[in-house]
Amino acid sequence: MAGRINYAELGLQLVAEECRRSLFYFVRTFWDVIINEPPVFNWHIPYLCEELEVLGRSVKAREPKPYDLIINIPPGTTKSTIVTIMFPVWLWVIDPSIQIITNSYSNGLSIEHAIKSKDIINSDKFRMLFPDIYIRRDKSGKQHYANRQGGFRYATSTGATITGFHAHIIINDDPVNPKQAGSEQLRKSANEHIKTLSSRKVDKANTPVVTVMQRLHVDDVSGHQLKTKGETIRHICLPAEVTGNVKPEELRERYVDGLLDPVRLNRTVLAEAKVDLGSVQYAGQYEQSPVADGGNIVKEDWFRRISMSEFTAMRFREPMHFYLDTAYSKKKKNSDNDPSGILAACRIKNNIYLYDAQKVYKDMPDLLRFLPEYAAAHGYDDESILHIEPRANGESVVQMIEEYSTMNVKRTPSPTDEKAVRFKAVSPRIECGRVYIVEGGWNEEFLAEVCSFPNAPHDEYVDILGYAINDLMKDDDDIDWSDFSKSMFGL
């Protein structure tokens, strides 16, 4: 009958219009297309959807971007599903001519996100609601696909070359992973890649960049962008537990019992994460603070304290060993040159005791005279060893000591990993209470440097502490447990 209302068709039109109006409604509508688990829509999900809508409608209107957006949020909060999978498809729903570049730390992850977006577009539900939006057969790859209205999605990864593509919006999801963030070189590469992405814009004034990630380092992509472009960035920071890091500050009121998501990130889950990750990585990934309270890689209260009298009473015959980070210069302290650093330490049972540490600014002859004097004053005997890394002038010092003194000297193996990576590797020894500080006037300077690394102006103490821990604990895996069993149990 002419003029008859098709209620089924009207229903589809209403759902489609509501999807265009609300990204969160779109997310709820298409959740089951890509995720089998029932949704847990904590308050932060509609909030992030509303934030993304602002940028999406600005892109649709081809208006000057209001800002770039950085979202710092813990893992397990549906961030990639919302920002990198659902949001790009929704952009096509409101304007199928939008061109999108997405980026992640690995090519495989970036393509996986693009495929899930593609699964939504190819789903029966999407084809019923938006029949005019579909992927062209001649441009339907996993990494790059396009629709017939001029829009495309191109998925790339940190460090990859991007040529021939310019976007109306760029989405940067986890540009580095935790391991990469520990490498200065890879952090710099990720920060440089942002510049490359920023050059792939249809209109530099109109194209926003959305970065969503957990914090991994003070100079990760978020930290670098906030430091260099802070005034042009809207920063949303949602730690797992309410802290002073919450941004915007008014969002603190939405936390329930101090928790961002009391269902998926409850206190039991967070406690397990802290054990699995350690306090430093937990501070970055869950608290969105890559500098842990009380220290960076290590905290001051991780070191145990012991008085000189207690140490002297318990030491007995354990040999004192010495660890040297060499430099020599006639310039005075507080100059731009590095000093030489030396640490006296020994192992008693299963713990390490730091007896003394000093820094000196000395040229070669003075340094060679200083070393045996220092060693003799701090417990050197025939079983002691002076460890020196034979890099640069260190090799010269080793050769001179071998030729002109009777000290036991050993070349410390030259490291292959970056300093921060090496220090993180030994930090669990300190955190679990295996490293003692013998109380003395040297403590304050030593702890200030070690606990502020990697932000300290000098790092000699960091080097020699790492050498000492690795050397004094190196034989832990060589214990003859059969002898132990015989002595303890008569086996």
Side-chain angles (χ1 to χ4, degrees), residues 65 71 80 91 138 143 150 198 220 225 250 297 308 339 380 401-402 437 452 465 489 491:
K65 64 179 180 181
I71 302 170
S80 294
L91 288 172
D138 60 335
Q143 183 175 13
S198 296
D220 59 17
Q225 290 292 298
E250 59 267 21
I297 293 177
M308 178 65 75
Y380 183 92
I401 291 176
E402 287 177 333
I437 294 260
S452 62
L465 176 59
F489 307 113
L491 300 177

Side-chain angles (χ1 to χ4, degrees), residues 156-432:
T156 186
S157 59
T158 300
T161 302
I162 308 172
T163 57
F165 296 95
H166 292 84
H168 295 111
I169 187 168
I170 296 170
I171 299 172
N172 206 14
D173 184 356
D174 283 336
V176 290
N177 64 19
K179 184 176 181 179
Q180 292 167 336
S183 164
E184 182 179 2
Q185 180 179 354
L186 293 177
R187 287 196 310 273
K188 287 182 177 179
S189 175
N191 291 333
E192 286 296 318
H193 189 67
I194 294 297
K195 297 179 182 178
T196 302
L197 287 173
S198 296
S199 69
R200 314 310 299 175
K201 297 178 177 180
V202 173
D203 187 325
K204 291 185 180 297
N206 293 2
T207 299
V209 177
V210 178
T211 299
V212 57
M213 63 181 293
Q214 53 199 296
R215 292 303 307 273
L216 301 170
H217 190 275
V218 292
D219 197 37
D220 59 17
V221 170
S222 287
H224 185 75
Q225 290 292 298
L226 290 169
K227 180 173 60 177
T228 57
K229 299 174 61 178
E231 295 182 357
T232 63
I233 290 173
R234 176 165 173 78
H235 185 201
I236 298 173
C237 185
L238 300 175
E241 300 178 77
V242 65
T243 68
N245 292 329
V246 176
K247 294 181 178 61
E249 290 185 9
E250 59 267 21
L251 296 182
R252 293 165 60 94
E253 299 176 359
R254 302 197 188 187
Y255 278 62
V256 178
D257 192 26
L259 298 174
L260 169 66
D261 187 340
V263 176
R264 291 182 299 173
L265 296 180
N266 58 51
R267 298 200 184 279
T268 300
V269 171
L270 297 182
E272 291 177 357
K274 189 173 293 186
V275 171
D276 292 341
L277 295 173
S279 59
V280 174
Q281 290 193 42
Y282 179 86
Q285 295 182 44
Y286 283 83
E287 295 178 352
Q288 308 312 308
S289 175
V291 178
D293 292 337
N296 287 347
I297 293 177
V298 302
K299 299 181 182 182
E300 183 173 339
D301 60 9
W302 291 357
F303 291 91
R304 293 189 177 184
R305 306 293 187 110
I306 185 172
S307 69
M308 178 65 75
S309 59
E310 290 175 305
F311 172 73
T312 302
M314 69 183 298
R315 181 187 165 203
F316 193 50
R317 294 182 179 178
E318 284 79 3
M320 190 71 68
H321 296 292
F322 300 85
Y323 302 86
L324 178 68
D325 184 68
T326 57
Y328 52 88
S329 170
K330 293 182 179 180
K331 292 190 176 182
K332 302 297 183 182
K333 188 175 181 179
N334 298 325
S335 71
D336 290 335
N337 283 14
D338 290 332
S340 294
I342 188 166
L343 171 68
C346 71
R347 173 171 173 169
I348 302 175
K349 295 184 178 179
N350 295 318
N351 297 317
I352 295 173
Y353 291 81
L354 309 181
Y355 181 59
D356 186 83
Q358 288 188 28
K359 290 187 184 184
V360 292
Y361 287 80
K362 295 182 181 295
D363 58 18
M364 175 67 88
D366 287 341
L367 181 62
L368 291 173
R369 283 190 290 268
F370 165 79
L371 290 174
E373 294 172 357
Y374 177 88
H378 293 88
Y380 183 92
D381 60 27
D382 290 343
E383 294 185 51
S384 298
I385 297 175
L386 172 61
H387 300 257
I388 303 175
E389 184 183 342
R391 61 180 180 180
N393 54 335
E395 178 61 33
S396 299
V397 174
V398 171
Q399 293 174 2
M400 296 290 282
I401 291 176
E402 287 177 333
E403 184 170 354
Y404 295 107
S405 84
T406 59
M407 294 184 71
N408 301 322
V409 62
K410 181 178 180 180
R411 291 167 174 82
T412 300
S414 296
T416 56
D417 292 328
E418 293 183 5
K419 190 170 301 187
V421 175
R422 302 197 308 268
F423 199 46
K424 285 181 180 178
V426 301
S427 65
R429 299 283 191 183
I430 306 171
E431 185 171 5
C432 71

Side-chain angles (χ1 to χ4, degrees), residues 15-71:
V15 172
E17 186 56 37
E18 190 65 18
C19 283
R20 295 186 186 96
R21 188 192 67 80
S22 167
L23 173 56
F24 181 51
Y25 186 90
F26 179 87
V27 169
R28 288 184 294 170
T29 301
F30 288 95
W31 180 271
D32 61 353
V33 173
I34 58 170
I35 299 177
N36 293 326
E37 301 295 325
V40 179
F41 291 129
N42 190 56
W43 66 264
H44 74 276
I45 294 177
Y47 174 81
L48 293 180
C49 287
E50 291 173 3
E51 290 287 336
L52 294 168
E53 285 175 13
V54 173
L55 290 182
R57 299 197 188 283
S58 171
V59 170
K60 177 183 178 181
R62 305 299 192 265
E63 297 172 344
K65 64 179 180 181
Y67 40 73
D68 290 328
L69 179 63
I70 289 180
I71 302 170

